[in-house]
Amino acid sequence: MNEETASKAPTALILFGPPGSGKGTQAKLLREALQVPHISTGDMLRERIALGDPLGRQVQGLMQAGRLVPDEVANRLVDERIARPDCASGFILDGYPRTIPQAEVLGRRLEEYGFEMVVIHLKVDYTIIIKRIAGRRQCPVCGTLYSLNSNPPKSENVCDHDGATLVIREDDQEDVIRERLEAYDRQTRPLLEFFAGAGFSPREVDAGLDGPEAILARIGGLLGKG
Ligand code: ADP
């Protein structure tokens, strides 16, 4: 490691974009490439649902309706997670922040911990998103995402890694997808201006038509230049 890299602040890499823009897929690839934790609020909330406690049931109802969970819930999950020692040299955030109050809480925390914030905006057309989410399948055990069109499992409906039967997420039904896109437009998209105003202009990546590896290379190029 040269001196320049050694003295650089650890990076909080924020993957930003509408539902189905490939944040989860890219986060998993980047985790391998950068060797830093991948923090997905969606996955953490699904773990909470699996516990079946009152908070889990509240989260489940909101998620199935395509709505966001309360900011305090998302903030608490992330706050606890990024305080853990494995995040000290940086981490990838997928699905957080999703509202301005979440971004404010995160911004304060990153400043306190001395992290640099880098925002990557995965841009994808909504017509592509709706098609893409309809073909999405997930392994309920390890969380790996597959796409029936562009990235199918080796054998039909079975996870390549652990042989579990793949599932369709309940919030991936078409009417719920539309609700999620609306929630994105209303609550999340305004963050693009918020980040820019705070001095963290999102770096744009065309994430529409190409496969995950090509998009990963684009992100790598932006990070290299950054
Ligand atoms: P996607 O990005 O494809 O919508 P996620 O797994 O990131 O998928 O999120 C699924 C759902 O989890 C969201 O629709 C929302 O209900 C909830 N959720 C995830 N992250 C947050 C967050 N930061 N704030 C509020 N709700 C969240």
Side-chain angles (χ1 to χ4, degrees):
M1 195 189 271
N2 63 31
E3 257 177 53
E4 201 192 332
T5 358
S7 64
K8 238 177 129 189
T11 301
L13 185 62
I14 297 178
L15 290 181
F16 189 88
S21 56
K23 300 185 296 291
T25 302
Q26 291 303 321
K28 289 184 180 75
L29 294 170
L30 284 162
R31 172 182 64 193
E32 298 311 315
L34 304 174
Q35 293 291 309
V36 292
H38 162 206
I39 302 174
S40 156
T41 41
D43 287 348
M44 288 194 283
L45 290 166
R46 282 183 282 278
E47 281 166 21
R48 192 76 214 196
I49 292 175
L51 289 180
D53 61 5
L55 178 63
R57 285 196 292 277
Q58 184 202 0
V59 166
Q60 184 171 31
L62 290 165
M63 229 195 234
Q64 279 175 7
R67 295 174 48 204
L68 298 186
V69 308
D71 287 333
E72 310 79 71
V73 174
N75 287 338
R76 200 170 56 239
L77 286 174
V78 173
D79 225 31
E80 285 172 9
R81 182 65 189 89
I82 66 179
R84 302 220 313 244
D86 63 334
C87 288
S89 46
F91 51 87
I92 302 159
L93 282 173
D94 154 17
Y96 182 93
R98 257 174 150 101
T99 65
I100 287 178
Q102 290 179 16
E104 287 170 342
V105 168
L106 177 70
R108 282 198 294 274
R109 191 61 85 226
L110 295 183
E111 213 176 310
E112 189 185 312
Y113 290 165
F115 281 95
E116 188 199 355
M117 177 155 88
V118 174
V119 184
I120 303 281
H121 176 203
L122 301 177
K123 289 183 69 176
V124 189
D125 218 70
Y126 285 6
T127 48
I128 297 179
I129 286 178
I130 290 172
K131 265 198 215 137
R132 207 188 252 181
I133 298 186
R136 180 153 80 176
R137 300 290 182 273
Q138 187 167 34
C139 173
V141 177
C142 68
T144 301
L145 292 167
Y146 297 89
S147 155
L148 298 188
N149 313 320
S150 60
N151 171 37
K154 291 197 184 83
S155 59
E156 204 178 322
N157 228 25
V158 171
C159 179
D160 293 349
H161 306 295
D162 50 35
T165 302
L166 303 180
V167 296
I168 303 179
R169 272 169 40 179
E170 283 178 0
D171 58 345
D172 278 351
Q173 314 295 335
E174 189 161 331
D175 51 338
V176 184
I177 298 169
R178 287 185 195 283
E179 283 297 330
R180 285 160 62 198
L181 288 172
E182 264 179 50
Y184 175 79
D185 275 339
R186 209 173 43 243
Q187 292 169 280
T188 309
R189 193 206 285 274
L191 279 176
L192 288 170
E193 282 190 11
F194 177 87
F195 286 131
F200 303 100
S201 287
R203 304 180 193 186
E204 311 251 303
V205 173
D206 178 356
L209 291 172
D210 299 304
E213 294 293 340
I215 294 164
L216 177 69
R218 255 171 232 157
I219 297 176
L222 287 176
L223 295 178
K225 277 184 222 142

